[in-house]
């Protein structure tokens, strides 16, 4: 009964915040019903939350609240860990839509990612690819979608202008690819999964990577450009160039210590893209099953470190970890990069 009373009090608090538009919750005023854990949390100081309520789901406000109050808002409203995000335009996929977001504080990127509702997993495409990047590689007059097409089903996305206008921000745009049957190498990545690309290369340059008979349906001249070796100091630690260059994509550098290259099945990994001897994109790659397992509670929300090169060719803000999360209070997923540091110093 005591716990129920506390939750009710907290619900009233959340509603009061929403109605009054309060931007700072007095701290550390805690109701008598607060638990020992709540009292201990309050001693750590206020935290940022992006306040979103059911009656105004498109209105977001950054508030500073005591930690115990943040827990209430994150459980009982559509609020999320702050600061509030800026968003890119959505693109339909399945029964939902994917869109980019960025959280910025004090002129520094906090989080850059892609978010989409759980409904996106309903009625996803089932064909191998959308047919946009194909080439008759064997010259037999027909195109086999399983061996002569690449890219799955792609959704190009603009990053928020608030992010791309930041000084020393190398990220330019994003791309989501859904691969209903996966792709090669056989036995490694041939399971349904998503590719979440964050490009340092312009979209015009990426679009100019032609289809052709070399590599993964890529033009042979563009294959040669894509596979130009990076200088050793620019190659991320433990990554290897396997010559996996693809039309409308470029080369893919693979972390050979990632579990799927050993004895474990592929669940998630991080890929670097390269073109013309330069890093061209950063890519979390995640199976559909792994993400569904997060929503079901069998897989955890968590982050992984991103291995870095010794030196970035273009100085600027780069993420140190990537995260995969399901936000139950919002019914959505986030695939993000965070903990940015500025290599320019």
């Amino acid at each position: 009964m005591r716990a129920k009373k506390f939750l009710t009090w907290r619900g009233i608090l959340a509603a009061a915040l929403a109605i009054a538009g309060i931007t700072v919750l007095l701290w550390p005023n805690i109701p008598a019903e607060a638990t020992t854990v709540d009292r201990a949390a309050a001693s750590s100081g206020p935290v940022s939350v992006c306040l979103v309520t059911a009656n105004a789901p498109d209105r977001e406000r950054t508030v500073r609240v005591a930690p115990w109050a943040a827990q209430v808002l994150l459980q009982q409203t559509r609020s999320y860990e702050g600061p509030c995000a800026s968003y890119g335009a959505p693109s339909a996929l399945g029964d939902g839509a994917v869109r980019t977001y960025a959280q910025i504080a004090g002129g520094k990127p906090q989080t850059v990612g892609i978010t989409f509702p759980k409904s996106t997993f309903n009625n996803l495409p089932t064909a191998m690819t959308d047919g946009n990047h194909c080439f008759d590689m064997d010259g037999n007059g027909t195109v086999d979608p399983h061996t002569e097409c690449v890219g799955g089903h792609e959704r190009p996305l603009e990053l928020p202008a608030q992010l791309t206008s930041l000084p020393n921000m190398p990220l330019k745009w994003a791309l989501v690819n859904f691969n209903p049957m996966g792709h090669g190498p056989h036995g490694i990545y041939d399971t349904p999964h998503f590719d979440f690309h964050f490009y340092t290369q312009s979209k015009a340059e990426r679009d100019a990577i032609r289809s052709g008979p070399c590599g993964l349906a890529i033009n042979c001249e563009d294959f040669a450009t894509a596979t130009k070796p990076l200088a050793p100091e620019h190659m991320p630690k433990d990554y290897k160039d396997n010559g996996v260059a693809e039309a409308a994509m470029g080369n893919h550098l693979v972390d050979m210590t990632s579990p799927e290259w050993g004895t474990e099945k592929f669940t998630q990994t991080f890929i670097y893209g390269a073109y013309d001897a330069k890093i061209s994109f950063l890519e979390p790659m995640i199976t559909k099953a792994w993400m569904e397992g997060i929503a079901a509670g069998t897989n955890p929300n968590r982050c992984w470190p991103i291995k870095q090169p010794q030196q970035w060719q273009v100085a600027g803000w780069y993420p140190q970890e990537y995260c995969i999360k399901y936000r139950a209070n919002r019914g959505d997923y986030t695939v993000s990069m965070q903990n940015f540091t500025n290599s320019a110093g």
Side-chain angles (χ1 to χ4, degrees), residues 93-97 117 119-124:
L93 183 62
D95 286 346
S119 61
T120 301
F121 284 179
N122 300 329
N123 296 314
L124 283 166

Side-chain angles (χ1 to χ4, degrees), residues 191-240:
T191 188
H193 70 266
F194 293 85
D195 301 332
F196 298 92
H197 302 87
F198 298 88
Y199 272 86
T200 58
Q201 180 187 42
S202 74
K203 188 173 186 300
E205 291 173 340
R206 174 269 187 184
D207 290 347
I209 302 174
R210 300 162 289 180
S211 299
C214 288
L216 298 178
I218 186 174
N219 173 274
C220 293
E221 291 182 0
D222 294 348
F223 178 87
T225 302
T227 55
K228 286 183 181 179
L230 274 71
E233 64 271 22
H234 298 151
M235 179 67 81
K237 185 178 184 297
D238 295 327
Y239 279 75
K240 181 180 179 182

Side-chain angles (χ1 to χ4, degrees), residues 18 21 25 28 43 56 63 80 89 109 123 136-137 145-146 166 187 225 244 275 303 309:
L25 178 69
S43 65
V63 299
Y80 58 89
N123 296 314
D136 182 10
M137 298 181 69
H146 294 271
L166 286 178
T225 302
V244 188
Y275 195 78
C303 301

Side-chain angles (χ1 to χ4, degrees), residues 224-338:
T225 302
T227 55
K228 286 183 181 179
L230 274 71
E233 64 271 22
H234 298 151
M235 179 67 81
K237 185 178 184 297
D238 295 327
Y239 279 75
K240 181 180 179 182
D241 178 359
N242 289 332
V244 188
E246 178 177 328
M249 191 72 69
N251 203 5
H252 293 75
L253 309 177
V254 179
D255 180 0
M256 299 306 295
T257 69
S258 195
E260 69 273 11
W261 291 97
T263 59
E264 299 182 27
K265 291 181 62 176
F266 164 54
T267 57
Q268 56 72 37
T269 193
F270 194 88
I271 304 290
Y272 277 101
Y275 195 78
D276 199 14
K278 297 185 288 289
I279 294 293
S280 56
F281 60 78
L282 291 71
E283 178 196 351
M285 192 162 74
I286 310 157
T287 65
K288 178 174 177 283
W290 177 264
M291 300 190 74
E292 289 173 325
I294 298 176
T298 56
N299 296 330
N301 284 335
R302 64 163 293 184
C303 301
W304 292 262
I306 298 175
K307 296 179 179 179
Q308 307 285 306
Q310 296 177 30
Q311 179 183 340
W312 286 99
Q313 293 157 301
V314 177
W317 293 105
Y318 290 95
Q320 305 301 300
E321 59 183 2
Y322 69 102
C323 305
I324 310 168
K325 297 180 180 180
Y326 177 72
R327 301 186 294 195
N329 67 319
R330 296 178 62 82
D332 69 3
Y333 292 92
T334 62
V335 176
S336 64
M337 303 187 300
Q338 59 186 48

